[in-house]
Amino acid sequence: MRYLPLTDTDREDMLARIGVPDVDALFSDVPAGKLLTAPLDLPRTKGELEVERIMARMAGRNVAASSVPFFVGAGAYKHHVPATVDHLIQRSEFLTSYTPYQPEIAQGTLQYLFEFQTQVAALTGMEVANASMYDGSTGTGEAVLMAHRVTKRRKAVLSGGLHPHYAEVVRTLSEMANDAVVSLPPDVSANEDILSQIDDETSCVVVQNPDVFGNLRDLTPIAAKAQAHGALLIAVFTEIVSLGAIVPPGAMGADIVVGEGQSIGNALNFGGPYVGLFAAKSKYIRQMPGRLCGETVDSTGQRGFVLTLSTREQHIRRDKATSNICTNSGLCVLAFTIHMTLLGQAGLSRLAEVNHANAVKLADMLAGVKGVTVLNASFFNEFTVKLGKPAAAVVEALAAKGILAGVPVSRLLPKAGLDDLLLVASTEINTDEDRAAFVAALAEVL
Amino acid sequence: MLNRQGRPTQSSAAATEQHATFTGNKALQQIEPLIFEIGHHETTGVDIDAPAPFKSRLGKHARKGEIGLPGLSEPETMRHYVRLSQKNYGIDTGLFPLGSCTMKHNARLNEKTARMPGFSDVHPLQPVSTVPGALEVMLELSHYLMTLTGMPAVALSPKAGAHGEACGMMAIKAAIAAKGEGATRTVVLVPESAHGTNPATAALIGFSVRSVPARDDGTVAVEDVKALLGPDIAAIMLTNPNTCGIFEPQIVEIAAAMHEAGAYFYCDGANFNAIVGKARPGDLGVDAMHINLHKTFSTPHGGGGPGAGPVVLSERLAPYAPVPFIHVEAGTPRLVENAADAPPGNVPFGRMTAFHGQMGMYVRALTYMLSHGADGMKQASEDAVLNANYIRAGLSDLMSLPFPDHPSMHEALFDDEWLKGTGVSTLDFAKAMIDEGYHPMTVYFPLVVHGAMLIEPTESESKASLDLFIATLRDLAMAAKGNDKERFTAAPHHAPIRRLDETRAARQPVLKWVKPAPVAEAAE
């Protein structure tokens, strides 16, 4: 087996050195009758060529985003990732290293974490950011728990514009911990009355911007009302590229900002791995979940970086920890921070501008299709259209024509009476030909 | 003999001294500033054309003012990250015996398959009819995981080990609630030797934690568990093989005792690499166990993730598995994304994450499984155990074993008894290993062992590699005992940076770069 260096002679020599007759003697603590004697009913070792063929066959059954006109978003976005990113993240010293427990031989990881934290803080307009969560949805769950610790209250209010999967993750976690959650109904037009839900028992208000329907929201009044009642505003985003174009949540008074970083540097990957971004006001750092990287000096005074404030974490605090998270999204962080370094603010602003321009073009074209209404007053690179027909069937019909048109709202919110709504995203990848093909096919299908 | 050029054949005395360089660099070791110190706000390494003029639909929400982020050109970016990478130690650099982390070889075939556009360039919410190959990967991976563990169900979506723990414990909580015992069964038993994630997970989802004492031989005794059992006990979270590297000899009795008391057995599967193809958790009475795909199935650790933590579930817990999952009806797989669409008999407790979990990791793990096959995976576990015991045999006359009465599984645990009186601590010893070109073992864990040193070589090491490692540790051990304190207490001497002041980092946290205030010009 190509991955195993020991030869049979080595094995015999080593068993002799250990002083046991065979390897099963080392498994003597396995209870009687529980040590397997027969091989498991699975195929035998395969060579690289054969494995590659098997995997390629399965991969070939899926329609890749880059092979068709592609407009699917709703929390994961197809963007162009520079070739440099994927080359660099595959360097052995990054790919095969671990959590930087030994900082003297992990300054590479630690420095990019420090740079990443700085980038995320700048993008979100917040004072501090951590070294990542698993993804935006689990990060949102952690943000709610953090708000509960800060406020010593146990009730979260979720906007109806929050991604339904995110809301479900929060509800699952809260139900398990016996915390209260008020989930507002789906808010297609961003006109819900969330302010009246905030009272003196509210721990936090969770609002997404741009929301899951693509609307842009002013969070300022929500922050003001929440803070007047001693509650926190948790601002969520699923499209980090939007922050190149819109007012960042920090500037609107958010206490915690959490969201999905997949759009920068990371592939779609059918939903994972992604990277959760998590930022907050600095007065709350001791209640933050996850790893934090901090600057310090070595014994000669040279600048260096270490994981810090680890007394918040599970390996020290155990059942009193701020979270159970251990492994996070290191390599996805690296992809994010390299891509963001390549972009800089100049590139990010331009990228955001192109995304918005493409979405506006598409929205205007779709609005010209008979039976289609664009519902959003404002949007960034995603918006909601009303089709007058069940969107799921329309999407299937378009897929059959080789166009991946978007996400039917009913897929995220079944039985909500929103079956004729479609979420459509457009990024820099879309060409005029893509848009023309989409609009023509949609006109045929409707 | 024929050195007619008068070329020096050994370094002169002067050359052995430390020479300060103008740059502060040391040949291949380059000091690398932060991107904020070398980049510019107007620089970008990505060329994107400006769009044709259009009417913005951002309304009043358009960003005002700068973000405040520099960019770098492509060559500068490449050099920055290559230099950073050179300050890192990875599995490909050398032996990485970090106990409990299973730092095994990461085959590049796995990276190649994960990057096939049919896997990497597929959206989680594109029509299910366009991703049959993705469902096939998930089903195939599930089949392997269930076969290897002897368990009837698996929830794939958890994002890492601790997330898998939460998933398993939520299933247990849901099952308890379904029996109407939610208000009474509120306590989870956790051995003192457990990973910190176990008690943290139990607390996260509203259980209180009661500690199970460690026995002198490093195992958990069924009598100690029984003594704690009662109507308030929901579950035990037990690692097997345990964190001391020992297969729990009474695991079957412990499982039976839990079940008899109406409670559940959560097994922490972090150490599954020791027993793949050798023993199945399903045969031992386990109700739920997460599997760290980034440990046992070699998906890269990537500097701290991403991981993947699928959870195998017993018949009793399977109905509570979270969405999404794949249900096969008459040979046709169906992706169930909402509880309302769950087939009869299924009552999902909720959702762990957006979308469907770590597909990129599923592909890598499945590639590993196909490559190894049943025979290769079994051999890998045997070699992992053999390697750990070989290291133990090579060191146990110099270093002290806290639990000599049990064979080690895939990791060998030493304590610091043998360092007593030397003035050298476990940490010092670890730092001296860095100078020798090794990543240190896990230190000070498990907490039940004083000055613990947990060595997990994995199956990826050759005998020659192990022999050099043993020889090196023997040399270090003799130096520690021989009063060569400076080799340890000031170590590492040869790393890119010397020992770091962690206290300062925690006392005055500096968590991001801040532009230094301009230095006032000195008065003439």
PDB file of all heavy atoms in Angstrom, chain A residues 104-126:
ATOM      1  N   GLU A 104       6.570  28.975  17.828  1.00  0.00           N
ATOM      2  CA  GLU A 104       7.900  29.200  17.254  1.00  0.00           C
ATOM      3  C   GLU A 104       8.045  28.565  15.872  1.00  0.00           C
ATOM      4  O   GLU A 104       8.882  28.993  15.082  1.00  0.00           O
ATOM      5  CB  GLU A 104       8.997  28.647  18.180  1.00  0.00           C
ATOM      6  CG  GLU A 104       9.064  29.318  19.540  1.00  0.00           C
ATOM      7  CD  GLU A 104       8.125  28.684  20.569  1.00  0.00           C
ATOM      8  OE1 GLU A 104       7.334  27.785  20.195  1.00  0.00           O
ATOM      9  OE2 GLU A 104       8.175  29.087  21.743  1.00  0.00           O
ATOM     10  N   ILE A 105       7.226  27.530  15.606  1.00  0.00           N
ATOM     11  CA  ILE A 105       7.312  26.904  14.279  1.00  0.00           C
ATOM     12  C   ILE A 105       5.962  27.002  13.569  1.00  0.00           C
ATOM     13  O   ILE A 105       5.606  26.158  12.752  1.00  0.00           O
ATOM     14  CB  ILE A 105       7.795  25.433  14.365  1.00  0.00           C
ATOM     15  CG1 ILE A 105       7.062  24.678  15.471  1.00  0.00           C
ATOM     16  CG2 ILE A 105       9.295  25.383  14.547  1.00  0.00           C
ATOM     17  CD1 ILE A 105       7.368  23.188  15.492  1.00  0.00           C
ATOM     18  N   ALA A 106       5.207  28.048  13.907  1.00  0.00           N
ATOM     19  CA  ALA A 106       3.912  28.264  13.259  1.00  0.00           C
ATOM     20  C   ALA A 106       3.667  29.756  13.035  1.00  0.00           C
ATOM     21  O   ALA A 106       2.528  30.200  12.963  1.00  0.00           O
ATOM     22  CB  ALA A 106       2.797  27.666  14.117  1.00  0.00           C
ATOM     23  N   GLN A 107       4.752  30.514  12.892  1.00  0.00           N
ATOM     24  CA  GLN A 107       4.566  31.952  12.681  1.00  0.00           C
ATOM     25  C   GLN A 107       3.882  32.245  11.343  1.00  0.00           C
ATOM     26  O   GLN A 107       3.229  33.276  11.191  1.00  0.00           O
ATOM     27  CB  GLN A 107       5.905  32.689  12.772  1.00  0.00           C
ATOM     28  CG  GLN A 107       6.412  32.853  14.199  1.00  0.00           C
ATOM     29  CD  GLN A 107       5.446  33.654  15.077  1.00  0.00           C
ATOM     30  OE1 GLN A 107       5.154  34.811  14.802  1.00  0.00           O
ATOM     31  NE2 GLN A 107       4.929  33.027  16.131  1.00  0.00           N
ATOM     32  N   GLY A 108       4.019  31.356  10.390  1.00  0.00           N
ATOM     33  CA  GLY A 108       3.345  31.557   9.107  1.00  0.00           C
ATOM     34  C   GLY A 108       1.844  31.598   9.300  1.00  0.00           C
ATOM     35  O   GLY A 108       1.165  32.546   8.884  1.00  0.00           O
ATOM     36  N   THR A 109       1.327  30.563   9.956  1.00  0.00           N
ATOM     37  CA  THR A 109      -0.105  30.513  10.236  1.00  0.00           C
ATOM     38  C   THR A 109      -0.530  31.684  11.109  1.00  0.00           C
ATOM     39  O   THR A 109      -1.521  32.358  10.831  1.00  0.00           O
ATOM     40  CB  THR A 109      -0.452  29.187  10.952  1.00  0.00           C
ATOM     41  OG1 THR A 109      -0.127  28.101  10.084  1.00  0.00           O
ATOM     42  CG2 THR A 109      -1.924  29.131  11.316  1.00  0.00           C
ATOM     43  N   LEU A 110       0.237  31.933  12.165  1.00  0.00           N
ATOM     44  CA  LEU A 110      -0.165  32.969  13.119  1.00  0.00           C
ATOM     45  C   LEU A 110      -0.173  34.356  12.477  1.00  0.00           C
ATOM     46  O   LEU A 110      -1.077  35.161  12.729  1.00  0.00           O
ATOM     47  CB  LEU A 110       0.746  32.923  14.346  1.00  0.00           C
ATOM     48  CG  LEU A 110       0.462  31.716  15.256  1.00  0.00           C
ATOM     49  CD1 LEU A 110       1.668  31.379  16.119  1.00  0.00           C
ATOM     50  CD2 LEU A 110      -0.763  31.972  16.127  1.00  0.00           C
ATOM     51  N   GLN A 111       0.821  34.622  11.638  1.00  0.00           N
ATOM     52  CA  GLN A 111       0.834  35.954  11.021  1.00  0.00           C
ATOM     53  C   GLN A 111      -0.346  36.135  10.070  1.00  0.00           C
ATOM     54  O   GLN A 111      -0.976  37.195  10.044  1.00  0.00           O
ATOM     55  CB  GLN A 111       2.163  36.220  10.293  1.00  0.00           C
ATOM     56  CG  GLN A 111       2.216  37.648   9.740  1.00  0.00           C
ATOM     57  CD  GLN A 111       3.585  38.079   9.266  1.00  0.00           C
ATOM     58  OE1 GLN A 111       4.613  37.600   9.763  1.00  0.00           O
ATOM     59  NE2 GLN A 111       3.618  38.983   8.305  1.00  0.00           N
ATOM     60  N   TYR A 112      -0.679  35.081   9.286  1.00  0.00           N
ATOM     61  CA  TYR A 112      -1.828  35.288   8.393  1.00  0.00           C
ATOM     62  C   TYR A 112      -3.139  35.362   9.182  1.00  0.00           C
ATOM     63  O   TYR A 112      -4.071  36.032   8.751  1.00  0.00           O
ATOM     64  CB  TYR A 112      -1.850  34.299   7.225  1.00  0.00           C
ATOM     65  CG  TYR A 112      -2.400  32.902   7.425  1.00  0.00           C
ATOM     66  CD1 TYR A 112      -3.732  32.673   7.749  1.00  0.00           C
ATOM     67  CD2 TYR A 112      -1.602  31.781   7.202  1.00  0.00           C
ATOM     68  CE1 TYR A 112      -4.246  31.384   7.889  1.00  0.00           C
ATOM     69  CE2 TYR A 112      -2.092  30.493   7.338  1.00  0.00           C
ATOM     70  CZ  TYR A 112      -3.418  30.306   7.685  1.00  0.00           C
ATOM     71  OH  TYR A 112      -3.918  29.034   7.817  1.00  0.00           O
ATOM     72  N   LEU A 113      -3.204  34.700  10.331  1.00  0.00           N
ATOM     73  CA  LEU A 113      -4.406  34.858  11.168  1.00  0.00           C
ATOM     74  C   LEU A 113      -4.525  36.302  11.676  1.00  0.00           C
ATOM     75  O   LEU A 113      -5.617  36.880  11.687  1.00  0.00           O
ATOM     76  CB  LEU A 113      -4.390  33.892  12.363  1.00  0.00           C
ATOM     77  CG  LEU A 113      -4.555  32.405  12.061  1.00  0.00           C
ATOM     78  CD1 LEU A 113      -4.466  31.585  13.358  1.00  0.00           C
ATOM     79  CD2 LEU A 113      -5.883  32.121  11.358  1.00  0.00           C
ATOM     80  N   PHE A 114      -3.398  36.854  12.083  1.00  0.00           N
ATOM     81  CA  PHE A 114      -3.390  38.241  12.573  1.00  0.00           C
ATOM     82  C   PHE A 114      -3.802  39.204  11.456  1.00  0.00           C
ATOM     83  O   PHE A 114      -4.605  40.122  11.665  1.00  0.00           O
ATOM     84  CB  PHE A 114      -1.997  38.577  13.104  1.00  0.00           C
ATOM     85  CG  PHE A 114      -1.894  39.913  13.792  1.00  0.00           C
ATOM     86  CD1 PHE A 114      -2.330  40.081  15.097  1.00  0.00           C
ATOM     87  CD2 PHE A 114      -1.350  41.000  13.125  1.00  0.00           C
ATOM     88  CE1 PHE A 114      -2.232  41.315  15.731  1.00  0.00           C
ATOM     89  CE2 PHE A 114      -1.241  42.242  13.748  1.00  0.00           C
ATOM     90  CZ  PHE A 114      -1.679  42.400  15.061  1.00  0.00           C
ATOM     91  N   GLU A 115      -3.278  38.953  10.271  1.00  0.00           N
ATOM     92  CA  GLU A 115      -3.646  39.793   9.127  1.00  0.00           C
ATOM     93  C   GLU A 115      -5.124  39.621   8.776  1.00  0.00           C
ATOM     94  O   GLU A 115      -5.827  40.596   8.466  1.00  0.00           O
ATOM     95  CB  GLU A 115      -2.753  39.449   7.919  1.00  0.00           C
ATOM     96  CG  GLU A 115      -1.298  39.844   8.147  1.00  0.00           C
ATOM     97  CD  GLU A 115      -0.343  39.387   7.056  1.00  0.00           C
ATOM     98  OE1 GLU A 115      -0.718  38.509   6.237  1.00  0.00           O
ATOM     99  OE2 GLU A 115       0.796  39.883   7.034  1.00  0.00           O
ATOM    100  N   PHE A 116      -5.583  38.387   8.838  1.00  0.00           N
ATOM    101  CA  PHE A 116      -6.999  38.091   8.574  1.00  0.00           C
ATOM    102  C   PHE A 116      -7.897  38.830   9.572  1.00  0.00           C
ATOM    103  O   PHE A 116      -8.878  39.469   9.185  1.00  0.00           O
ATOM    104  CB  PHE A 116      -7.204  36.575   8.669  1.00  0.00           C
ATOM    105  CG  PHE A 116      -8.641  36.112   8.712  1.00  0.00           C
ATOM    106  CD1 PHE A 116      -9.394  35.999   7.552  1.00  0.00           C
ATOM    107  CD2 PHE A 116      -9.239  35.753   9.916  1.00  0.00           C
ATOM    108  CE1 PHE A 116     -10.719  35.551   7.592  1.00  0.00           C
ATOM    109  CE2 PHE A 116     -10.558  35.303   9.968  1.00  0.00           C
ATOM    110  CZ  PHE A 116     -11.288  35.205   8.794  1.00  0.00           C
ATOM    111  N   GLN A 117      -7.555  38.742  10.849  1.00  0.00           N
ATOM    112  CA  GLN A 117      -8.365  39.429  11.872  1.00  0.00           C
ATOM    113  C   GLN A 117      -8.445  40.934  11.582  1.00  0.00           C
ATOM    114  O   GLN A 117      -9.498  41.551  11.724  1.00  0.00           O
ATOM    115  CB  GLN A 117      -7.776  39.180  13.273  1.00  0.00           C
ATOM    116  CG  GLN A 117      -7.974  37.754  13.745  1.00  0.00           C
ATOM    117  CD  GLN A 117      -7.290  37.422  15.076  1.00  0.00           C
ATOM    118  OE1 GLN A 117      -7.376  36.305  15.538  1.00  0.00           O
ATOM    119  NE2 GLN A 117      -6.617  38.374  15.702  1.00  0.00           N
ATOM    120  N   THR A 118      -7.311  41.490  11.161  1.00  0.00           N
ATOM    121  CA  THR A 118      -7.289  42.926  10.848  1.00  0.00           C
ATOM    122  C   THR A 118      -8.168  43.229   9.642  1.00  0.00           C
ATOM    123  O   THR A 118      -8.917  44.215   9.636  1.00  0.00           O
ATOM    124  CB  THR A 118      -5.835  43.370  10.577  1.00  0.00           C
ATOM    125  OG1 THR A 118      -5.005  42.964  11.678  1.00  0.00           O
ATOM    126  CG2 THR A 118      -5.740  44.883  10.414  1.00  0.00           C
ATOM    127  N   GLN A 119      -8.092  42.369   8.627  1.00  0.00           N
ATOM    128  CA  GLN A 119      -8.916  42.581   7.429  1.00  0.00           C
ATOM    129  C   GLN A 119     -10.406  42.497   7.752  1.00  0.00           C
ATOM    130  O   GLN A 119     -11.205  43.326   7.300  1.00  0.00           O
ATOM    131  CB  GLN A 119      -8.580  41.524   6.362  1.00  0.00           C
ATOM    132  CG  GLN A 119      -7.234  41.738   5.675  1.00  0.00           C
ATOM    133  CD  GLN A 119      -6.882  40.592   4.737  1.00  0.00           C
ATOM    134  OE1 GLN A 119      -7.201  39.432   4.993  1.00  0.00           O
ATOM    135  NE2 GLN A 119      -6.205  40.907   3.642  1.00  0.00           N
ATOM    136  N   VAL A 120     -10.774  41.488   8.534  1.00  0.00           N
ATOM    137  CA  VAL A 120     -12.195  41.299   8.852  1.00  0.00           C
ATOM    138  C   VAL A 120     -12.715  42.470   9.685  1.00  0.00           C
ATOM    139  O   VAL A 120     -13.823  42.977   9.449  1.00  0.00           O
ATOM    140  CB  VAL A 120     -12.422  39.953   9.578  1.00  0.00           C
ATOM    141  CG1 VAL A 120     -13.863  39.832  10.072  1.00  0.00           C
ATOM    142  CG2 VAL A 120     -12.087  38.786   8.656  1.00  0.00           C
ATOM    143  N   ALA A 121     -11.902  42.926  10.622  1.00  0.00           N
ATOM    144  CA  ALA A 121     -12.314  44.075  11.429  1.00  0.00           C
ATOM    145  C   ALA A 121     -12.525  45.299  10.539  1.00  0.00           C
ATOM    146  O   ALA A 121     -13.521  46.021  10.677  1.00  0.00           O
ATOM    147  CB  ALA A 121     -11.266  44.359  12.507  1.00  0.00           C
ATOM    148  N   ALA A 122     -11.622  45.524   9.591  1.00  0.00           N
ATOM    149  CA  ALA A 122     -11.753  46.686   8.697  1.00  0.00           C
ATOM    150  C   ALA A 122     -12.986  46.561   7.802  1.00  0.00           C
ATOM    151  O   ALA A 122     -13.743  47.520   7.628  1.00  0.00           O
ATOM    152  CB  ALA A 122     -10.496  46.833   7.839  1.00  0.00           C
ATOM    153  N   LEU A 123     -13.204  45.375   7.256  1.00  0.00           N
ATOM    154  CA  LEU A 123     -14.334  45.176   6.343  1.00  0.00           C
ATOM    155  C   LEU A 123     -15.673  45.390   7.030  1.00  0.00           C
ATOM    156  O   LEU A 123     -16.602  45.958   6.463  1.00  0.00           O
ATOM    157  CB  LEU A 123     -14.301  43.749   5.769  1.00  0.00           C
ATOM    158  CG  LEU A 123     -13.248  43.477   4.710  1.00  0.00           C
ATOM    159  CD1 LEU A 123     -13.077  41.976   4.519  1.00  0.00           C
ATOM    160  CD2 LEU A 123     -13.661  44.131   3.400  1.00  0.00           C
ATOM    161  N   THR A 124     -15.776  44.895   8.256  1.00  0.00           N
ATOM    162  CA  THR A 124     -17.052  44.950   8.968  1.00  0.00           C
ATOM    163  C   THR A 124     -17.203  46.254   9.740  1.00  0.00           C
ATOM    164  O   THR A 124     -18.286  46.551  10.229  1.00  0.00           O
ATOM    165  CB  THR A 124     -17.174  43.778   9.967  1.00  0.00           C
ATOM    166  OG1 THR A 124     -16.016  43.798  10.828  1.00  0.00           O
ATOM    167  CG2 THR A 124     -17.236  42.444   9.242  1.00  0.00           C
ATOM    168  N   GLY A 125     -16.107  46.999   9.863  1.00  0.00           N
ATOM    169  CA  GLY A 125     -16.147  48.230  10.633  1.00  0.00           C
ATOM    170  C   GLY A 125     -16.202  47.978  12.132  1.00  0.00           C
ATOM    171  O   GLY A 125     -16.758  48.771  12.889  1.00  0.00           O
ATOM    172  N   MET A 126     -15.611  46.852  12.561  1.00  0.00           N
ATOM    173  CA  MET A 126     -15.638  46.491  13.980  1.00  0.00           C
ATOM    174  C   MET A 126     -14.243  46.605  14.582  1.00  0.00           C
ATOM    175  O   MET A 126     -13.244  46.723  13.882  1.00  0.00           O
ATOM    176  CB  MET A 126     -16.176  45.067  14.141  1.00  0.00           C
ATOM    177  CG  MET A 126     -17.572  44.866  13.588  1.00  0.00           C
ATOM    178  SD  MET A 126     -18.848  45.903  14.359  1.00  0.00           S
ATOM    179  CE  MET A 126     -19.050  45.090  15.946  1.00  0.00           C
TER     180      MET A 126
END
